């Protein structure tokens, strides 16, 4: 074999060996398992997520169901009808409310009122009760009337009739006249603003109980008016109803007149 031929043979042998080595290396590399992934740590600060874009479409409106109206709970009497005095005027303080005392009334023939108050309504049972006719009476009588309404009239209406009083039918307050409207008679307590006449009561159920018809009316009306009459006899010095005489057949008369030497005697008819 010549030099040239031997060199070529040696080159072919070397190339074959290199090829075989590369194949073996590739096979070993493919057989070696890949390393497991490791968590990535860095010093990067994570920002809060971006807010989602708001829809420009209007929100769907659902109809609100119609319910019963709210029940109006009455305000406590102490906060309901307390009037501040105007200037230096005096106040007639009643139970939980007050009314301004007006200038004294000086009428003819002994008529007049020392501390008059004008009432268009009263407060009792946590609500305002109107008067069908405004009355002007003495402050002390208004205080007695207030107590009678609170303790007698309003509870009796609820107990006997199951309703509340909404208005009071007033027949007379201050009036400069003789007793029973008789000419020449002794001055009536009405002439002093010291008497009030009540003819009936409007109720929350729309009815009206009058003294004239209810005095001998249904059993509930009789019990109601009898309770008012009896309770008044414990507060006023004079109480006259339909059983007193023909002059009082259609109303209840309350006054604070003086009876007897010490003014402690009471008239209840």
């Amino acid at each position: 074999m010549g030099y040239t031929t031997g060199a070529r043979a040696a080159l072919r042998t070397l190339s074959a060996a290199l090829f075989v080595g590369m194949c073996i290396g590739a096979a070993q590399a493919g057989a070696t398992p890949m390393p497991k992934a490791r968590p990535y740590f860095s010093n990067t600060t994570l920002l809060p997520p971006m807010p989602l874009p708001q829809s420009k479409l209007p929100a769907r409106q659902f109809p609100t169901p119609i319910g019963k109206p709210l029940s109006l709970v009455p305000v406590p009497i102490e906060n309901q009808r307390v009037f501040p005095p105007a200037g230096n005027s005096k106040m007639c303080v009643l139970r939980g409310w007050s009314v301004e005392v007006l200038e004294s009334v000086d009428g003819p023939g002994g008529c007049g009122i020392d501390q008059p108050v004008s009432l268009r309504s009263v407060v009792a049972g946590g609500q305002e009760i109107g008067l069908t006719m405004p009355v002007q009476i003495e402050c002390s009588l208004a205080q007695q009337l207030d107590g009678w309404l609170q303790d007698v009239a309003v509870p009796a209406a609820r107990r006997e009739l199951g309703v509340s009083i909404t208005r009071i039918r007033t027949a007379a307050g201050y009036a400069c006249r003789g007793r029973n409207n008789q000419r020449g008679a002794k001055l009536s307590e009405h002439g002093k603003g010291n008497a009030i006449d009540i003819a009936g009561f409007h109720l929350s159920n729309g009815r009206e109980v009058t003294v004239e018809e209810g005095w001998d009316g249904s059993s509930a009306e009789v019990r109601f008016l009898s309770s008012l009459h009896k309770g008044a006899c414990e507060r006023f010095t004079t109480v006259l109803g339909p059983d007193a005489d023909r002059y009082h057949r259609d109303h209840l008369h309350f006054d604070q007149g003086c009876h007897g030497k010490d003014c402690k005697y009471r008239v209840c008819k």
Side-chain angles (χ1 to χ4, degrees):
M1 181 183 304
Y3 175 78
T4 303
T5 302
R8 291 178 179 174
L11 182 60
R12 287 196 296 270
T13 302
L14 181 59
S15 299
L18 291 173
F19 177 77
V20 172
M22 292 175 63
C23 292
I24 294 173
Q28 291 178 347
T32 303
M34 296 294 293
K36 295 181 179 181
R38 298 180 180 179
Y40 175 75
F41 296 98
S42 70
N43 294 326
T44 305
T45 301
L46 298 178
L47 298 176
M50 295 293 291
L52 296 175
Q54 298 295 326
S55 173
K56 296 182 179 180
L57 296 177
R60 184 180 178 185
Q61 301 293 328
F62 294 93
T64 303
I66 300 176
K68 295 181 179 180
L70 294 176
S71 298
L72 300 180
V73 180
V75 180
I77 298 177
E78 290 77 6
N79 301 326
Q80 186 177 13
R81 194 179 169 83
V82 177
F83 301 116
N88 296 323
S89 62
K90 297 180 180 179
M91 302 299 290
C92 181
V93 179
L94 306 173
R95 188 182 302 182
W97 60 291
S98 58
V99 63
E100 182 179 350
V101 175
L102 305 176
E103 293 184 4
S104 60
V105 176
D106 186 14
C111 292
I113 312 176
D114 292 333
Q115 298 185 71
V117 296
S118 181
L119 299 180
R120 294 180 176 273
S121 63
V122 292
V123 177
Q127 64 180 4
E128 189 170 6
I129 300 175
L131 305 182
T132 58
M133 181 183 70
V135 293
Q136 191 175 39
I137 57 178
E138 185 72 42
C139 171
S140 59
L141 179 66
Q143 292 172 331
Q144 291 297 106
L145 179 67
D146 178 55
W148 174 77
L149 287 170
Q150 302 276 1
D151 300 334
V152 179
V154 170
R158 292 173 178 170
R159 181 181 65 252
E160 305 297 345
L161 304 175
V163 294
S164 58
I165 299 172
T166 58
R167 282 199 303 166
I168 298 174
R169 180 174 292 280
T170 45
Y174 171 71
C176 185
R177 59 176 174 80
R179 290 182 180 178
N180 301 321
N181 278 317
Q182 300 299 304
R183 181 176 297 180
K186 186 178 179 179
L187 181 65
S188 170
E189 292 297 322
H190 283 286
K192 306 173 186 178
N194 205 24
I196 186 170
D197 292 345
I198 296 177
F201 303 86
H202 293 264
L203 308 174
S204 57
N205 61 1
R207 294 178 53 208
E208 180 185 11
V209 176
T210 64
V211 174
E212 185 175 17
E213 296 180 0
W215 194 256
D216 294 317
S218 67
S219 58
E221 293 175 340
V222 171
R223 291 195 305 270
F224 170 62
L225 293 175
S226 296
S227 297
L228 303 190
H229 185 275
K230 180 180 178 180
C233 291
E234 300 173 357
R235 287 167 170 77
F236 303 95
T237 59
T238 307
V239 176
L240 302 174
D243 292 339
D245 51 45
R246 61 186 179 90
Y247 299 108
H248 298 87
R249 60 180 178 79
D250 60 353
H251 67 274
L252 297 175
H253 168 95
F254 306 150
D255 73 45
Q256 285 291 91
C258 176
H259 304 295
K261 293 181 179 180
D262 55 2
C263 296
K264 293 183 179 180
Y265 183 75
R266 293 177 182 268
V267 176
C268 180
K269 296 180 180 181

